[in-house]
Amino acid sequence: MRTVKVQTHTPRNAYDIIIERGLIKNVGSLVKNVSSASKVTVITDSNVEKIYAEGVVSSLKESGFDTSLFVFPAGEKSKTLSTVSDMYDHMVNFRMSRKDIVVALGGGVTGDMAGFAAASYMRGIDFVQIPTSLLAQVDSSVGGKTGVNIKQGKNLVGAFHQPILVIIDPDTLKTLPDYYINDGMAEVIKYGCIKDSELFKTLEDKNALDIIEDVIEQCVSIKRDVVNRDEKEAGERMLLNFGHTLGHSLEKIYNFEGLSHGQAVAIGMVMITAASENAGITEKGTTVKIISLCKKYGLPVEDKADKEEIAAICAGDKKAGSGSVNLVLLTKIGESFTKKTPLSELEEFISI
Ligand code: MG
């Protein structure tokens, strides 16, 4: 079993991310090791429920936990305060106390929402993450960001709340369609781009799925190191937004339908690197490398969207400060930095 230890600034101050094939069968005893709770609410969506809920619930029961299950309809549309409110109702009816815990079983939407319910129920109770998508395993399971969408925008309401344990079973990826694997691979490629040229090379030379435990371990370690140094996103953590500033604009243009987060990030990474390479900031040939790696993992590398519209949407994005945007750029594969760019110059910068 691989263990990545995460230090946090919260009272509990550390948790483990454990990675091993087949781990989901042992959830009960793994949770028992880190919690003295008597009750557990497992939160999952209607897709993941069908495959894993029964096994996880019975494993928790066998380990002595009084366990209940909360299921919500799968999809980003469920990521609302109204669903979280239903979670509170469920937890109150189940008589959950402050000592009891939530287990988030599923992808990013489940982790974000269940984490937020745990962060706010009775001013905060413990929670365990069991991410079942590649995107959630390499990205959202580290860092403690939780939240929901409101009508004015995505993730505008939330809290930083660290899990007490993250259980990653790479075998859960076998039940995912390729589309969702590719979606997560964009974030994997991102880690190589911003921090680790060796990881990037490994992804070029091998099939990431053949060595997925290594790949997940390397990605969460990179994110762990970045988040450790910058838990509340004041500086270095911005590097994790590589490809995301323009990618987020694309997601908005598509109204978050028809283009996945990973697809948007892939196009965003290519677009921003083409611009910075053209401006003489990034080593020549870097864009071509990112393009061929994205293609290898089934990701798009361009979009017909208007550059003017992309820049205009960045101006209204929550990640943009007043009047300027922090662009994440590469000097070369494995090395990144942020460049504060006036919004008035963004359109020209990306319009090469
Ligand atoms: Mg992302």
Side-chain angles (χ1 to χ4, degrees):
M1 190 163 71
R2 294 142 196 266
T3 303
V4 176
K5 292 196 171 297
V6 182
Q7 298 292 319
T8 70
H9 303 143
T10 47
R12 204 169 179 122
N13 78 39
Y15 65 91
D16 287 347
I17 299 170
I18 49 178
I19 308 160
E20 190 175 84
R21 290 181 188 276
L23 218 46
I24 205 162
K25 296 186 188 82
N26 309 323
V27 166
S29 55
L30 294 168
V31 173
K32 197 87 196 168
N33 289 338
V34 295
S35 176
S36 54
S38 58
K39 294 189 178 198
V40 181
T41 292
V42 176
I43 295 179
T44 195
D45 72 26
S46 50
N47 287 339
V48 176
E49 180 203 8
K50 291 176 206 132
I51 315 173
Y52 299 113
E54 199 184 323
V56 166
V57 167
S58 55
S59 172
L60 287 161
K61 282 181 176 168
E62 276 163 29
S63 293
F65 292 107
D66 186 6
T67 308
S68 73
L69 178 66
F70 178 91
V71 183
F72 64 90
E76 186 82 23
K77 283 200 172 72
S78 287
K79 196 174 159 183
T80 62
L81 285 168
S82 153
T83 311
V84 173
S85 182
D86 292 344
M87 292 175 187
Y88 299 145
D89 288 346
H90 176 97
M91 292 194 275
V92 170
N93 290 338
F94 187 50
R95 299 181 185 280
M96 294 266 285
S97 78
R98 290 193 70 178
K99 291 200 176 77
D100 295 326
I101 62 168
V102 163
V103 168
L105 171 67
V109 169
T110 302
D112 283 7
M113 253 197 313
F116 183 58
S120 46
Y121 182 74
M122 294 190 170
R123 299 193 182 85
I125 62 172
D126 285 343
F127 85 117
V128 171
Q129 290 256 34
I130 310 177
T132 56
S133 73
L134 182 57
L135 189 67
Q137 291 178 351
V138 298
D139 186 22
S140 47
S141 59
V142 194
K145 279 189 185 179
T146 71
V148 295
N149 305 330
I150 56 174
K151 68 175 191 296
Q152 291 86 347
K154 284 185 76 172
N155 300 316
L156 284 185
V157 172
F160 284 98
H161 191 56
Q162 307 292 341
I164 58 168
L165 178 68
V166 180
I167 300 168
I168 297 181
D169 180 351
D171 277 349
T172 60
L173 304 179
K174 288 179 184 163
T175 54
L176 279 183
D178 284 350
Y179 174 85
Y180 291 101
I181 299 286
N182 300 344
D183 192 36
M185 280 308 298
E187 299 284 355
V188 173
I189 293 168
K190 178 196 79 179
Y191 287 117
C193 286
I194 61 169
K195 284 283 177 189
D196 194 337
S197 59
E198 271 181 44
L199 171 62
F200 193 93
K201 190 156 190 338
T202 304
L203 300 174
E204 288 177 320
D205 295 344
K206 297 182 178 165
N207 180 349
L209 290 181
D210 293 341
I211 47 160
I212 197 65
E213 286 153 293
D214 288 336
V215 168
I216 293 168
E217 184 182 14
Q218 286 174 58
C219 291
V220 296
S221 300
I222 292 170
K223 184 156 182 187
R224 184 266 319 266
D225 292 344
V226 170
V227 172
N228 266 357
R229 290 189 290 258
D230 183 15
E231 194 168 321
K232 295 277 169 81
E233 200 167 43
E236 189 179 352
R237 192 161 173 170
M238 283 193 290
L239 297 177
L240 299 169
N241 289 335
F242 176 58
H244 282 61
T245 307
L246 302 182
H248 193 68
S249 294
L250 283 167
E251 285 184 280
K252 277 195 171 168
I253 289 171
Y254 281 86
N255 207 15
F256 299 99
E257 287 166 24
L259 192 72
S260 73
H261 178 69
Q263 289 175 325
V265 167
I267 297 165
M269 291 192 291
V270 170
M271 203 181 278
I272 200 69
T273 305
S276 62
E277 191 175 322
N278 187 54
I281 296 165
T282 305
E283 189 176 85
K284 287 258 172 281
T286 304
T287 313
V288 172
K289 286 184 190 167
I290 298 174
I291 287 174
S292 53
L293 196 55
C294 286
K295 283 184 173 168
K296 176 179 173 181
Y297 291 101
L299 290 158
V301 294
E302 59 189 348
D303 190 82
K304 57 184 187 325
D306 189 46
K307 299 271 168 57
E308 191 183 349
E309 192 182 0
I310 293 173
I313 290 173
C314 281
D317 191 49
K318 76 180 163 81
K319 283 182 182 120
S322 56
S324 63
V325 62
N326 284 299
L327 293 180
V328 183
L329 306 176
L330 306 183
T331 44
K332 58 183 182 181
I333 296 293
E335 279 182 27
S336 54
F337 67 103
T338 55
K339 185 172 187 289
K340 202 169 174 147
T341 306
L343 285 165
S344 54
E345 292 173 23
L346 181 63
E347 188 194 334
E348 194 193 334
F349 185 71
I350 61 175
S351 298
I352 46 159

